[in-house]
Amino acid sequence: MVYLGAVALVMAFSPSTYNRTNRLATSRYIYTSTWQVLPWFTLLAALVSLVLIRVVVVTSQSYGLSRYALEMVVRVLVLELIPLTAAMFVALRAGLAFNAGDALALAAASTPARSRQAQNRLRQDLVPQVIANAFAVLSLAMVSSVIVLVLAYTSVYGFSPWGLGDYTRTVGRIFNPAVTVGFVLKTVFFGLSVAVIPSAAILEAHRYGRTSSSTVQPGAVRLLFVLLLIEAGSLAVKYI
């Protein structure tokens, strides 16, 4: 996984990767993994978040803790649940898209020509999908977080503009520089994990000739473990 991720990052930052064919492939994968699902994923996230926000606000008011409702919503939904949900959604939807079987069959050949063909195939398939999946996690998480922040304001203050001062102070106190950097890094690591781990599992299975009759996505358990490890590490850094 680490080796494949390093190779993908080096290729992603290499100018020679972005010829016309690879640029078109990258834009196509980004359109499929992000733009096609962004509206209804955002709508679904907004509906679920609205229910959770309402539950938190009503419960806080009943216990006389309404001043903590907004901070709890931002910390739980925006900082923790939204990025993790976006990562798991992209993993379930796009984790099986990378098909390395033909490229690995070419790589197994001994002739240099077929080896170069395999490398070109991996460059054309692997790098665009890694970029697209990482971009999808970032986009879905960021857009949904903005929508949730707007919903949190309307749920607590209504449509009155007089709550903007308290709202911005509360959100600004939560999103201090350290928390903001941690939030961005966690989302980036989520995106890289979703982009690399399923592809690494498929490559590993083909490389060692492993076959499985299971319908579980290759690398699903490994990906879930890594996502939970990143989330646990983020919580430990912030609250311990």
Side-chain angles (χ1 to χ4, degrees), residues 161-212:
W162 304 113
L164 283 175
D166 292 337
Y167 177 77
T168 52
R169 279 193 296 271
T170 301
V171 175
R173 187 171 63 250
I174 296 172
F175 280 95
N176 58 57
V179 172
T180 303
V181 172
F183 173 73
V184 174
L185 288 178
K186 179 177 73 172
T187 309
V188 170
F189 286 144
F190 278 167
L192 292 177
S193 301
V194 169
V196 171
I197 292 177
S199 300
I202 295 173
L203 289 170
E204 183 181 1
H206 281 279
R207 179 180 180 183
Y208 295 105
R210 297 173 183 171
T211 58
S212 176

Side-chain angles (χ1 to χ4, degrees), residues 47-67:
L47 291 175
V48 174
S49 300
L50 186 60
V51 173
L52 294 177
I53 290 170
R54 190 61 186 166
V55 170
V56 171
V57 170
V58 172
T59 304
S60 301
Q61 289 176 348
S62 64
Y63 286 98
L65 301 172
S66 56
R67 61 175 179 164

Side-chain angles (χ1 to χ4, degrees), residues 148-165:
V148 170
L149 287 175
V150 174
L151 291 176
Y153 176 85
T154 56
S155 297
V156 175
Y157 299 102
F159 294 97
S160 171
W162 304 113
L164 283 175

Side-chain angles (χ1 to χ4, degrees), residues 94-137:
L96 290 176
F98 176 63
N99 183 9
D102 296 338
L104 288 167
L106 291 171
S110 58
T111 61
R114 293 180 70 83
S115 243
R116 286 194 299 270
Q117 189 178 354
Q119 291 176 8
N120 291 333
R121 172 70 190 278
L122 289 175
R123 182 185 293 270
Q124 292 171 5
D125 285 346
L126 175 62
V127 175
Q129 291 205 35
V130 167
I131 295 174
N133 289 341
F135 181 80
V137 174

